[in-house]
Amino acid sequence: MKKVIVGGRDARLKRNLLAAFTKYGLTSPATDPDWNVTVVLADPSSSIDGDDPANIVNRTRTGGGAQLEISTALRKAMFGDFSGAAKRRTTAGVPSAASPDADHFWTGFVGAVREAVKNHERGLDAL
């Protein structure tokens, strides 16, 4: 299953991320069910919720940040060739027989994160 778990101590940034993933088509149902990505907030009781103040994502001026846990299925979908680091670097967002929609997943993911960070830096909130 393609999935992103959003964690960290910055609630506004997490809301901006959730809104941006939806806007970029990573959470809305598509004609092709293979395009569906589940995006959820981390369960506060989970060991991967990212809210530990010592977590590197939270060592910011404000004491909070966001952490994205990305499933292997989604990572594989973003690259034309997932067989090694060098292949991933050269095939990010490049469709292939193994990952025909790599451009959708790569561009959507990167665009969503960039927009969420930009909105967060401007003080905006997706609420």
Side-chain angles (χ1 to χ4, degrees):
M1 172 181 14
K2 295 176 195 78
K3 186 172 186 175
V4 177
I5 301 172
V6 182
R9 294 176 57 96
D10 191 319
R12 184 168 53 89
L13 179 55
K14 293 190 301 185
R15 288 190 298 270
N16 281 328
L17 284 162
L18 287 173
F21 283 128
T22 299
K23 177 182 175 183
Y24 278 79
L26 294 183
T27 60
S28 57
T31 307
D32 184 347
D34 288 335
W35 277 28
N36 293 334
V37 177
T38 302
V39 181
V40 298
L41 287 175
D43 183 325
S45 65
S46 169
S47 63
I48 62 168
D49 71 346
D51 71 346
D52 185 333
N55 184 329
I56 190 124
V57 303
N58 298 317
R59 292 189 207 165
T60 65
R61 177 174 38 87
T62 63
Q67 172 174 300
L68 302 174
E69 298 289 342
I70 308 164
S71 70
T72 300
L74 179 55
R75 285 184 280 130
K76 284 182 177 180
M78 290 194 283
F79 299 92
D81 187 338
F82 195 71
S83 64
K87 297 284 186 179
R88 287 191 298 272
R89 277 191 294 278
T90 59
T91 65
V94 178
S96 68
S99 186
D101 301 313
D103 53 342
H104 165 74
F105 292 110
W106 178 261
T107 304
F109 185 87
V110 171
V113 171
R114 285 180 175 163
E115 181 169 309
V117 170
K118 179 178 74 175
N119 287 341
H120 184 71
E121 288 175 344
R122 290 181 173 170
L124 302 176
D125 194 327
L127 279 179

